[in-house]
Amino acid sequence: MQPRRILLCADVRMMLCQLKQVQKISPNYGLLNSRNLSVSSTFGTDKGSSHKKLWYVPEEEKRESWNAPTESFKEDRVAVLGFDLAAAHFLVHRGGKVRFKNATIWNQKDENEEYELSRHYIPNIFVEEIDASGVDLIYEGLESMRNLQHLKWLSVANCSNIDDWCIDRICCQYSNSLEHLDISNCPKVTERGITALARLRRLQNLQLNGLDGIKNIKLLCLLLEDVLPNLQIEGIQYMDSKQEQQT
């Protein structure tokens, strides 16, 4: 029992050191840098006349172009709508739900597959919550969800394409705002993706249902709690590991 405890403590120290190093990474750079390439854009803010230049395009033609099957970043969509409304169109069209700051209802498709979202830029409208559970979301699609500076709640549960690269991008884009994250039942997430979560400095609630098979997941939960003191993790039974450490 004693040798196992010594080995366990050594693993904990090493992993804790790795997590603390992850926390120091700049929000502008991903942990898995080689794939974390941003599409260059002239639309760095939601201010200026750039939002007006495409308004002459017929409404239905604009919406069809914005919501093409590809998940690549659409500069024209951002130019007309701003980052928050553009992200809302991208997500709701694909079956997701969004809630704007100070709103009480979620924007989503109705039973006829229709939805109501402004097709013009509105100042001071911010996406605060996103439910993309079960949406066919891929890494490139996260580019269409960037610059959401007020996003606090995000679920990508049951998204079969969410992997470590996607988790890394989420941590990069929302490191200073996200408080709730649900990545339950995302089968492609591994130990590396869980480690990257240490960069979400404001994270308070983490849902990990269905991820029991990830290597060292119980230890990683303990260490995440150590580096993020306000974090509560649900979906993984890791308290026995905590008790084993203390004995």
Side-chain angles (χ1 to χ4, degrees):
M1 186 66 183
Q2 188 68 17
R4 181 186 174 191
R5 184 183 175 191
I6 293 173
L7 179 60
L8 182 64
C9 291
D11 288 342
V12 168
R13 285 195 297 268
M14 180 180 69
M15 294 172 72
L16 180 60
C17 180
Q18 290 175 342
L19 282 176
K20 289 183 176 178
Q21 288 300 315
V22 167
Q23 275 195 310
K24 297 177 181 178
I25 297 176
S26 168
N28 297 320
Y29 298 95
L31 183 65
L32 310 177
N33 246 337
S34 60
R35 187 177 167 185
N36 196 27
L37 302 177
S38 292
V39 177
S40 61
S41 172
T42 57
F43 313 112
T45 68
D46 282 346
K47 299 177 181 180
S49 59
S50 59
H51 298 291
K52 301 179 181 179
K53 68 177 184 179
L54 295 179
W55 284 8
Y56 67 89
V57 180
E59 295 294 333
E60 291 305 318
E61 183 179 336
K62 280 193 297 188
R63 187 160 178 168
E64 183 178 352
S65 172
W66 296 340
N67 295 321
T70 177
E71 292 192 14
S72 59
F73 180 73
K74 299 284 187 180
E75 290 188 349
D76 59 336
R77 178 169 56 197
V78 173
V80 176
L81 300 171
F83 284 104
D84 289 78
L85 264 175
H89 273 272
F90 170 81
L91 287 158
V92 174
H93 179 76
R94 287 162 175 78
K97 299 188 293 184
V98 301
R99 189 184 66 79
F100 294 106
K101 188 175 182 180
N102 298 323
T104 57
I105 62 172
W106 288 80
N107 293 85
Q108 59 185 312
K109 286 183 177 180
D110 60 23
E111 61 275 8
N112 298 317
E113 296 292 300
E114 298 291 334
Y115 62 92
E116 290 295 328
L117 282 172
S118 173
R119 301 181 190 183
H120 301 290
Y121 174 70
I122 300 176
N124 300 319
I125 184 169
F126 305 110
V127 173
E128 192 168 66
E129 298 186 1
I130 291 174
D131 185 353
S133 303
V135 174
D136 187 18
L137 190 63
I138 61 176
Y139 178 86
E140 287 73 17
L142 295 173
E143 178 73 8
S144 297
M145 298 163 54
R146 64 188 177 103
N147 278 35
L148 304 181
Q149 299 179 8
H150 296 262
L151 186 67
K152 293 183 178 181
W153 195 100
L154 173 64
S155 174
V156 291
N158 304 303
C159 292
S160 59
N161 294 316
I162 293 295
D163 57 12
D164 293 342
W165 299 99
C166 296
I167 297 299
D168 182 54
R169 180 152 209 150
I170 287 170
C171 295
C172 178
Q173 294 183 169
Y174 314 126
S175 62
N176 292 317
S177 67
L178 203 62
E179 297 177 359
H180 170 98
L181 177 63
D182 189 348
I183 57 173
S184 299
N185 302 309
C186 292
K188 293 184 179 180
V189 175
T190 73
E191 181 182 15
R192 296 183 70 187
I194 300 299
T195 301
L197 296 175
R199 298 167 61 205
L200 295 173
R201 300 174 177 88
R202 296 175 179 260
L203 196 63
Q204 298 177 15
N205 183 268
L206 176 62
Q207 300 283 335
L208 297 176
N209 294 285
L211 300 182
D212 306 75
I214 292 179
K215 182 181 177 182
N216 296 318
I217 185 61
K218 293 183 178 181
L219 281 178
L220 285 169
C221 288
L222 292 173
L223 297 175
L224 281 173
E225 280 193 344
D226 186 74
V227 297
L228 300 171
N230 296 322
L231 178 63
Q232 179 180 355
I233 301 174
E234 300 179 27
I236 297 292
Q237 297 296 326
Y238 60 95
M239 294 308 295
D240 53 339
S241 295
K242 181 178 290 188
Q243 293 170 356
E244 186 174 355
Q245 279 187 281
Q246 294 172 347
T247 58

